[in-house]
Amino acid sequence: MKMQWALIAGLVFALFTGIFAVINVNSVEVNLLFNTFQIPLILLILGCTLIGGIIVGSYGIYRQYRLQRENKQLKLRVSELENAKSSTDTFDSYASMDTIGTTEPEGSISNESIESQRKGNPTGTL
């Protein structure tokens, strides 16, 4: 809807500019600091409008490019963070699989479980 209003406003502005230019067809003197010349006012108005449109359009294209680049960088950052979180979750799930069946809190290891894992080593040295 916003684009439709912008298009309508642009068309109305173009219509007013065209009417204003057609009404003013007299020749005017234009001073460019280094030279002075006569030009019909209609050409001056339309030329200035065209130059202004090019400047505004160029800025809009630059801004759109910058926003797209920032959007890509942010999407890449989000995917990196999701991958880091999923790898952390995977590591946590592996850690919890090791402690299944024990009644001790995570991170604590009982001496009995260590002793039961030392099969064939009665001296207790590894």
Side-chain angles (χ1 to χ4, degrees):
M1 190 70 169
K2 183 178 177 182
M3 287 298 293
Q4 291 174 346
W5 284 110
L7 181 63
I8 291 170
L11 290 174
V12 168
F13 178 73
L15 179 68
F16 283 139
T17 303
I19 291 171
F20 183 72
V22 169
I23 292 172
N24 295 295
V25 292
N26 300 337
S27 290
V28 293
E29 186 175 310
V30 179
N31 185 358
L32 297 175
L33 296 177
F34 56 86
N35 195 8
T36 303
F37 58 93
Q38 293 283 343
I39 186 170
L41 189 56
I42 187 170
L43 293 179
L44 185 64
I45 292 170
L46 293 177
C48 289
T49 304
L50 180 65
I51 291 170
I54 290 172
I55 291 171
V56 169
S58 298
Y59 176 72
I61 290 170
Y62 166 73
R63 187 169 162 234
Q64 184 72 20
Y65 170 74
R66 193 181 69 201
L67 289 174
Q68 285 178 350
R69 189 177 65 193
E70 182 181 355
N71 191 16
K72 283 181 184 179
Q73 289 173 349
L74 291 174
K75 283 182 179 180
L76 182 62
R77 178 73 176 141
V78 166
S79 66
E80 287 174 356
L81 291 174
E82 286 176 348
N83 289 339
K85 179 164 175 31
S86 66
S87 66
T88 304
D89 290 344
T90 304
F91 178 73
D92 289 343
S93 67
Y94 287 142
S96 65
M97 288 174 62
D98 289 341
T99 60
I100 292 177
T102 63
T103 57
E104 293 132 10
E106 287 185 36
S108 65
I109 301 174
S110 69
N111 287 335
E112 296 170 1
S113 64
I114 292 174
E115 291 297 326
S116 66
Q117 292 177 3
R118 293 185 187 163
K119 297 177 183 173
N121 191 357
T123 60
T125 60
L126 294 176

